[in-house]
Amino acid sequence: METRSNHVLVGSVVLILLAVLAIFFVWIARWNATAEKEYDIFFKQSVDGLNKGSTVAFSGVPSGQVKEISLWKPDPQFVRVRISVNDETPVLQGTTATIQGVGFTGVSEIQLDGAVKGAPPIRCPDAHPEQDCPAGVPVIPPKQGGLGALLNSAPKLLERLSTLTERLTELLSDKNQASITGILNNTNRLTGALADRGPEIAATIAETRTAIQKAGDAAQQIGQLAETTNGVLTNDVKPATQNLNKAVAAAQHSMETLDAVLTEAKPGVQSFSKQTMPEIGQLVRDLRVMSAALTGVAEKIDQGGAGALVGGPKLPDYKGKKK
């Protein structure tokens, strides 16, 4: 019985020593390990090539690793990636996360960059933390990287490449090739014609330069003539204009005087029209009667002589018939 009790006691002491040794190693490991912070990243794109344990780098410097990858249940179009980084990593306001491929191996990593100097660190707010930290840890906003943007735009790129290929096929059809050949032939003929007419073109250009120079001289002379004409107008026409103004003023004065005279003579004219005009009419009628009488007298004198005015008309001589 004593031997069995000693074995149990020895075993218990050994187990206790092993437990204490394990606790000591764990404590040493935690003492040497640096503190870490966790963040969530919600990607609205494929995370192909990203796995649990993938590297997280800040501006190319390894700073942590991926802890968890899962679909976000409230909105399945998002993929939640939880990362842990060293406590010394400057995850500040303005920091963004992108997925970048590592060479051509198909493995991806998360790249953090964009921290602004002096900006506060990304953390959960005290008020309404569920809005900015829906999973309980701060959220780093995502940004499409080269690989992600390429994968997202691949369908559109393929569609555009297909459309471009179809249009190039239509452009390079037999009919269009014949047209392009004709255009090139015409261009060659035109180039040859221009080369043959090179001296004539040079002479034309020289004549054009001469004409432009003469036009410039003529413009200068026209400018001088304009200045001279301006001086003549200033020195000669201005006095004539003043005399004309005086003449117009004198005519205006004369018109005003005539208007005053007509205004003063208006009552006399009206009286002449009402009284004198009827008398003149009666005088004209009397003159007509007198003219008719004188006409009758003249006819009598012409027919019977002056005696016709004194006596009656002369009777004709009567001669009887002889028996």
Side-chain angles (χ1 to χ4, degrees), residues 259-292:
D259 187 27
V261 171
L262 291 177
T263 301
E264 294 177 357
K266 187 174 181 180
V269 173
Q270 291 179 352
S271 176
F272 176 80
S273 299
K274 293 180 180 180
Q275 298 179 4
T276 307
M277 290 300 293
E279 295 178 358
I280 292 175
Q282 184 63 36
L283 177 61
V284 170
R285 287 193 294 273
D286 293 342
L287 289 174
R288 289 178 178 176
V289 173
M290 184 177 68
S291 175

Side-chain angles (χ1 to χ4, degrees), residues 92-108:
L92 308 178
Q93 295 291 338
T95 302
T96 57
T98 56
I99 298 176
Q100 292 186 357
V102 181
F104 297 95
T105 60
V107 178
S108 300

Side-chain angles (χ1 to χ4, degrees), residues 40-309:
D40 278 341
I41 307 170
F42 293 90
F43 289 103
K44 193 178 180 181
Q45 65 182 65
S46 174
V47 294
D48 189 21
L50 196 66
N51 300 309
K52 185 177 180 180
S54 297
T55 303
V56 177
F58 190 94
S59 298
V61 178
S63 303
Q65 61 180 353
V66 175
K67 291 292 185 180
E68 182 182 354
I69 300 176
S70 62
L71 292 175
W72 182 240
K73 293 183 180 179
D75 192 349
Q77 65 178 338
F78 290 98
V79 177
R80 183 179 68 87
V81 178
R82 176 162 294 187
I83 64 174
S84 62
V85 297
N86 299 333
D87 187 43
E88 298 178 354
T89 304
V91 182
L92 308 178
Q93 295 291 338
T95 302
T96 57
T98 56
I99 298 176
Q100 292 186 357
V102 181
F104 297 95
T105 60
V107 178
S108 300
E109 66 178 11
I110 293 179
Q111 185 69 237
L112 303 178
D113 56 8
V116 179
K117 180 180 179 180
I122 296 177
R123 63 180 59 180
C124 294
D126 296 333
H128 305 289
E130 64 278 0
Q131 296 180 0
D132 296 330
C133 303
V137 297
V139 176
I140 298 176
K143 182 179 70 173
Q144 284 190 348
L147 179 61
L150 181 61
L151 293 175
N152 289 338
S153 60
K156 293 182 180 179
L157 181 61
L158 292 175
E159 183 179 357
R160 291 179 181 178
L161 287 175
S162 177
T163 303
L164 179 61
T165 304
E166 293 177 358
R167 292 183 178 180
L168 286 176
T169 303
E170 294 177 358
L171 179 63
L172 298 178
S173 62
D174 296 337
K175 182 178 179 180
N176 291 337
Q177 288 182 1
S179 300
I180 293 172
T181 303
I183 292 172
L184 293 177
N185 293 332
N186 294 331
T187 303
N188 291 332
R189 287 196 295 270
L190 178 60
T191 304
L194 290 176
D196 296 336
R197 295 295 181 87
E200 298 180 2
I201 295 174
T204 303
I205 294 174
E207 293 178 357
T208 303
R209 291 177 179 175
T210 303
I212 292 173
Q213 185 177 2
K214 291 181 179 180
D217 296 338
Q220 185 177 2
Q221 293 177 1
I222 291 173
Q224 295 176 356
L225 179 61
E227 293 178 357
T228 304
T229 304
N230 189 16
V232 171
L233 291 174
T234 303
N235 298 328
D236 297 341
V237 178
K238 188 174 181 180
T241 304
Q242 294 177 354
N243 295 332
L244 181 61
N245 292 332
K246 292 180 181 179
V248 172
Q252 182 68 24
H253 180 68
S254 300
M255 290 297 295
E256 292 177 355
T257 303
L258 180 61
D259 187 27
V261 171
L262 291 177
T263 301
E264 294 177 357
K266 187 174 181 180
V269 173
Q270 291 179 352
S271 176
F272 176 80
S273 299
K274 293 180 180 180
Q275 298 179 4
T276 307
M277 290 300 293
E279 295 178 358
I280 292 175
Q282 184 63 36
L283 177 61
V284 170
R285 287 193 294 273
D286 293 342
L287 289 174
R288 289 178 178 176
V289 173
M290 184 177 68
S291 175
L294 290 176
T295 302
V297 172
E299 290 178 353
K300 287 181 180 182
I301 293 175
D302 184 47
Q303 294 177 1
L309 297 175

Side-chain angles (χ1 to χ4, degrees), residues 15-39:
L15 290 176
I16 292 172
L17 290 175
L18 290 176
V20 171
L21 185 61
I23 293 172
F24 175 77
F25 282 128
V26 171
W27 179 76
I28 291 296
R30 290 187 177 182
W31 178 267
N32 293 329
T34 57
E36 294 182 348
K37 292 182 179 180
E38 292 185 347
Y39 298 90

